[in-house]
Amino acid sequence: MLLYRSMIYLESLNDKQKEAVLYEKGPLLIVAGAGAGKTKTITHRIIHLIHQGVKPSAILAVTFTNKAAKEMRERVLALLGERVHGAQSESPFVSTFHALGVHIIKENAHLIGLTKHFAIADEHDALVIIKDAMKARDIDPKQYEPRKIKSIISKSKGDFVTVDTFNQNANSSLASVVGLIWRDYERALKNEKALDFDDLLLETVLILKKYPEVKQMYRERWQYIHIDEYQDTNEVQYELVKLLVGKDENICVVGDTDQNIYSWRGANIKNMLHFEKDYPDAKIILLEQNYRSTKNIIEAANSVIGKNQYRMPKTLFTENKVGETISVYEAYDESYEAKFVASKINELLRDNNPEDIAILYRANFQSRILEEALLAEQIPYQVLGVKFFERKEIKDLLSYIRAAYNRESLSDIKRIINTPTRGIGKVTLVKLFANQFADLPATMQIKINKFYELLGDMKDYADIHKPSEAIKFVIEKSGLEEELSHGTSDEQERLENMRELVTLATKYDGMPEGVGMEKLLEDASLASDQDSLIHKKDDKKQGVRLMTVHASKGLEFKYVFITGLEQDLFPHTNGSKTKEDSEEERRLFYVALTRAEHKLYLSYATLRTIYGMKQVNSPSEFIYDIPSHLTEREKSSGSSGEKIIYI
């Protein structure tokens, strides 16, 4: 093909990208800044290797998400054209880490007592097994929360810790319980001939370690290895990669220490920082040219991330236009902030499509007030994740309130009678709803009576207190607060979302007794319905995007709003103020900044209602990291809502 004879595929690359593509032998570390074309570089390098005579099937490329793997695979195949004739065996092996694990385990399943048709236990399946194990051992799920146990097991496996190693080092009552349940959990998986997601990687590593001939087989099969987003690898993934690298050390890893934002799920930035120690002959190439953003945005991003210590130094640059200044808006409170965002978006929609615009926030609970403002302006939007009133914890809270006022609401009773766990099983519920209460054992009758007494207490309290106070009461007395407050980061986020419902309820506190709560329940239902209607009449691809900064990684938009830039919210303290945590928060802000192509809007609220109480906030330290000549500041008066613009 002419494409290969002329090497025309090199013409679209800059000098550094071309250098990375043409480097054929030995270890290679590509430090790729945001918007620097890393996927393009990897795919073109794979094409070049094939052009140089490397068999496509000798090339392995691994990334983290199915979407990224699909994109890379399609790009490679498109550039290869008819060369591979669609034959899988003659194509590069492009996959996620977990898919790679499945592939290797299926080919060697007999070595670990499985068949190639082994089952994979998803997160729900895993949690059910853990709950059953706890029940069998009479371990109180209120004292030792099942999700937390699952999280500890998962994190341990990701750190390459086996159940035996874990038990040897157990030094607390929680660790002892985890170790006990973990053994039962593994036994149940074995009985079902199943592996969980973490096992897909851990067992793969164990196979390669235990059977040198298997390891050698894969080293000979995949002579050229490419790893995307290397800064996000955990210990098991790191070990897996090292085991697959052959004596020629033809490994190419691509990543950016400045975009390491997943330490909470095991990502170890040291894996990338120590690449030169692992491979002393490594060549390092910096991809610093950004193709996404304006000069102003890039200068701001460089200024922010330059304050971090744990990073591989680089300085992004771009040949794009200077662009607009960065808008910094000081809102009186979160309501003014949301109205500002909605107002600016309305202006932008005169000349842009909704999907060109993204609103980013540090924590999921922040979406509620923003959704409300967009709905008021009839601006179509999509939440990446779950919309506020559709979140499980919010539905649970609303079900408690509705059931307290209406004990005939069976759907609400079903939802909450065992949330949190009260030991009331499905058989009991069937009899209860069939009016066979008298047939139940005395112990179960007591549990059910206590539940209905709880609903009575909630109604009595709600009848004489403000809606926000009533919801606080429900959160506490239901057991939901206790269940979530000491759990995983996901569980603490769910608790934050419930507390945001308290904040919403303060809007109804001034209404006559009994009216406020009724109106809150009505509005919650209507908000959900209205939202559905808006999305039905618009194309699925249409809508302003709302998401956490974590969810935005890998995406880009013409216009980006970063909201809630207040100290302790963004950066989020999470109860920790270590240097490592502080630097990760800064990396998170850097990721947010570099999602924008044309224009950035930063905003914060002087007052923000948290858990029903107004808090005075300081602007985020990150705002002050941006040189003042790059920004234009606006502020709301708070009383009239008029804006004051100052330089």
Side-chain angles (χ1 to χ4, degrees):
M1 292 177 62
L2 181 62
L3 172 70
Y4 291 89
R5 288 198 302 269
S6 66
M7 296 176 66
I8 197 172
Y9 57 88
L10 295 177
E11 293 180 3
S12 64
L13 305 176
N14 65 38
D15 290 344
K16 287 295 182 180
Q17 290 173 332
K18 195 178 296 183
E19 185 182 358
V21 167
L22 295 176
Y23 189 83
E24 300 168 11
K25 300 289 186 180
L28 173 64
L29 169 60
I30 303 173
V31 182
K38 66 179 179 66
T39 303
K40 180 178 183 179
T41 304
I42 297 174
T43 54
H44 280 68
R45 187 174 192 272
I46 291 171
I47 296 302
H48 178 70
L49 289 171
I50 295 171
H51 176 59
Q52 294 302 107
V54 176
K55 292 175 60 178
S57 57
I59 299 172
L60 171 68
V62 185
T63 187
F64 275 81
T65 66
N66 289 317
K67 180 184 176 184
K70 182 174 182 288
E71 181 185 356
M72 189 180 297
R73 191 182 300 112
E74 288 175 348
R75 287 196 190 188
V76 169
L77 294 178
L79 286 169
L80 285 173
E82 298 178 358
R83 180 157 178 150
V84 297
H85 302 289
Q88 186 68 31
S89 61
E90 289 300 319
S91 302
F93 191 96
V94 183
S95 81
T96 64
F97 271 104
H98 288 98
L100 174 63
V102 170
H103 181 82
I104 293 175
I105 292 172
K106 280 189 174 183
E107 291 189 338
N108 303 277
H110 63 285
L111 297 176
I112 55 175
L114 296 174
T115 71
K116 65 179 182 179
H117 303 295
F118 67 90
I120 299 173
D122 62 21
E123 292 299 308
H124 174 74
D125 297 331
L127 196 58
V128 168
I129 294 172
I130 286 172
K131 287 179 177 178
D132 288 345
M134 293 178 68
K135 187 176 181 181
R137 291 188 176 274
D138 199 26
I139 295 174
D140 187 358
K142 290 183 179 179
Q143 185 178 0
Y144 301 102
E145 211 281 312
R147 289 184 184 276
K148 188 170 185 174
I149 292 175
K150 175 65 180 71
S151 177
I152 294 172
I153 294 173
S154 180
K155 179 69 164 56
S156 299
K157 287 184 177 183
D159 290 335
F160 202 42
V161 175
T162 65
V163 62
D164 292 333
T165 306
F166 184 90
N167 276 300
Q168 288 171 10
N169 296 293
N171 55 5
S172 67
S173 59
L174 173 61
S176 298
V177 169
V178 171
L180 190 65
I181 296 301
W182 191 349
R183 288 198 185 281
D184 293 345
Y185 175 70
E186 294 297 334
R187 193 178 299 111
L189 288 175
K190 187 176 181 179
N191 290 339
E192 296 181 21
K193 303 290 184 183
L195 299 176
D196 66 15
F197 285 160
D198 302 299
D199 289 332
L200 296 177
L201 301 182
L202 185 58
E203 290 294 337
T204 300
V205 168
L206 294 175
I207 289 171
L208 297 178
K209 279 180 169 285
K210 189 174 181 180
Y211 300 97
E213 68 279 10
V214 175
K215 178 179 69 177
Q216 188 59 31
M217 177 185 71
Y218 288 111
R219 285 181 169 184
E220 291 175 2
R221 179 184 299 180
W222 296 314
Q223 298 172 29
Y224 292 84
I225 296 173
H226 300 76
I227 309 296
D228 193 14
E229 304 287 4
Y230 193 64
Q231 78 281 347
D232 290 335
T233 53
N234 62 19
E235 290 304 309
V236 169
Q237 291 159 342
Y238 168 81
E239 190 70 22
L240 174 57
V241 172
K242 288 213 65 176
L243 288 165
L244 290 175
V245 175
K247 61 181 176 62
D248 294 331
E249 296 188 337
N250 291 324
I251 176 172
C252 170
V253 303
V254 187
D256 183 5
T257 52
D258 294 337
Q259 297 188 71
N260 175 267
I261 59 174
Y262 297 121
S263 66
W264 50 274
R265 68 185 191 194
N268 191 345
I269 195 172
K270 293 179 181 178
N271 293 346
M272 188 164 173
L273 290 173
H274 293 171
F275 187 82
E276 291 176 273
K277 291 183 180 178
D278 294 333
Y279 305 95
D281 297 329
K283 183 175 181 62
I284 300 177
I285 296 175
L286 305 183
L287 300 186
E288 297 174 294
Q289 183 172 356
N290 176 283
Y291 291 91
R292 177 185 302 155
S293 308
T294 64
K295 283 184 170 67
N296 280 344
I297 292 171
I298 295 303
E299 185 179 348
N302 284 333
S303 298
V304 167
I305 203 62
K307 293 184 178 292
N308 272 8
Q309 178 183 341
Y310 301 116
R311 62 188 296 260
M312 303 189 78
K314 67 176 185 309
T315 303
L316 289 183
F317 70 93
T318 185
E319 294 179 358
N320 294 338
K321 63 183 181 181
V322 173
E324 298 182 58
T325 55
I326 298 168
S327 292
V328 180
Y329 182 74
E330 178 189 327
Y332 173 71
D333 60 17
E334 69 268 31
S335 178
Y336 278 89
E337 180 187 38
K339 289 174 182 176
F340 163 78
V341 172
S343 172
K344 286 294 182 183
I345 289 174
N346 256 335
E347 293 176 16
L348 293 172
L349 289 178
R350 295 169 190 167
D351 302 306
N352 298 277
N353 297 318
E355 62 269 24
D356 294 331
I357 305 167
I359 306 172
L360 309 183
Y361 35 80
R362 179 61 179 84
N364 269 310
F365 79 85
Q366 294 170 253
S367 80
R368 195 272 308 168
I369 191 74
L370 294 163
E371 289 183 62
E372 192 175 279
L374 295 174
L375 284 167
E377 293 292 328
Q378 296 189 315
I379 297 171
Y381 70 90
Q382 294 182 339
V383 179
L384 190 60
V386 184
K387 299 177 184 65
F388 184 78
F389 285 108
E390 293 176 4
R391 291 171 184 152
K392 178 185 180 301
E393 58 272 18
I394 301 302
K395 287 186 171 182
D396 290 344
L397 272 183
L398 294 174
S399 283
Y400 265 109
I401 298 165
R402 284 193 294 266
Y405 280 98
N406 179 16
R407 300 195 183 189
E408 303 301 316
S409 180
L410 296 186
S411 61
D412 288 312
I413 298 292
K414 284 180 182 178
R415 182 176 189 92
I416 60 169
I417 195 168
N418 217 34
T419 303
T421 303
R422 296 186 174 89
I424 301 173
K426 292 180 180 179
V427 175
T428 300
L429 290 179
V430 170
K431 289 186 177 181
L432 177 65
F433 296 137
N435 295 317
Q436 297 173 3
F437 178 80
D439 297 335
L440 294 171
T443 54
M444 195 58 64
Q445 289 185 19
I446 292 171
K447 288 181 180 180
I448 292 171
N449 283 332
K450 282 185 177 179
F451 170 73
Y452 279 104
E453 286 173 10
L454 175 65
L455 293 182
D457 291 342
M458 289 176 178
K459 182 181 182 304
D460 291 343
Y461 193 92
D463 283 342
I464 58 175
H465 288 85
K466 297 175 180 178
S468 63
E469 295 171 350
I471 294 175
K472 281 185 183 179
F473 184 85
V474 172
I475 293 172
E476 180 186 353
K477 296 299 179 181
S478 64
L480 291 170
E481 184 174 48
E482 183 181 352
E483 181 184 53
L484 299 174
S485 58
H486 303 295
T488 64
S489 57
D490 285 344
E491 289 164 335
Q492 293 196 28
E493 187 172 278
R494 286 163 56 197
L495 184 58
E496 282 185 337
N497 292 336
M498 288 193 291
R499 288 171 173 170
E500 178 63 11
L501 187 63
V502 175
T503 297
L504 172 62
T506 59
K507 293 172 53 177
Y508 302 83
D509 284 350
M511 294 182 179
E513 194 173 284
V515 175
M517 185 63 80
E518 184 180 338
K519 189 70 168 68
L520 169 61
L521 293 172
E522 180 185 315
D523 287 353
S525 299
L526 290 176
S528 184
D529 292 342
Q530 186 183 6
D531 188 56
S532 298
L533 288 171
I534 283 179
H535 286 284
K536 282 178 183 177
K537 72 181 182 182
D538 289 290
D539 185 89
K540 288 184 178 179
K541 295 182 179 179
Q542 298 291 314
V544 174
R545 277 35 175 184
L546 280 76
M547 68 193 77
T548 64
V549 182
H550 280 101
S552 75
K553 189 167 179 286
L555 304 177
E556 57 187 46
F557 305 91
K558 286 183 180 179
Y559 304 94
V560 171
F561 293 79
I562 307 175
T563 62
L565 281 167
E566 300 133 33
Q567 207 63 17
D568 296 335
L569 180 56
F570 198 3
H572 201 299
T573 57
N574 288 315
S576 176
K577 293 188 178 181
T578 66
K579 184 174 179 61
E580 289 81 2
D581 291 334
S582 176
E583 292 210 354
E584 179 148 344
E585 286 294 305
R586 189 176 300 280
R587 292 195 294 269
L588 193 60
F589 184 57
Y590 171 82
V591 166
L593 293 174
T594 54
R595 299 311 94 196
E597 298 174 1
H598 295 173
K599 172 77 174 178
L600 271 167
Y601 298 87
L602 314 181
S603 62
Y604 63 95
T606 303
L607 295 175
R608 186 175 293 273
T609 306
I610 304 288
Y611 206 21
M613 299 180 64
K614 288 191 179 294
Q615 296 183 4
V616 180
N617 306 302
S618 302
S620 169
E621 63 189 83
F622 299 151
I623 293 175
Y624 299 108
D625 292 340
I626 300 173
S628 58
H629 72 272
L630 299 177
T631 63
E632 179 186 43
R633 294 178 175 256
E634 301 179 32
K635 114 184 239 187
S636 66
S637 67
S639 55
S640 65
E642 70 180 46
K643 286 178 277 186
I644 303 170
I645 300 178
Y646 56 96
I647 306 297

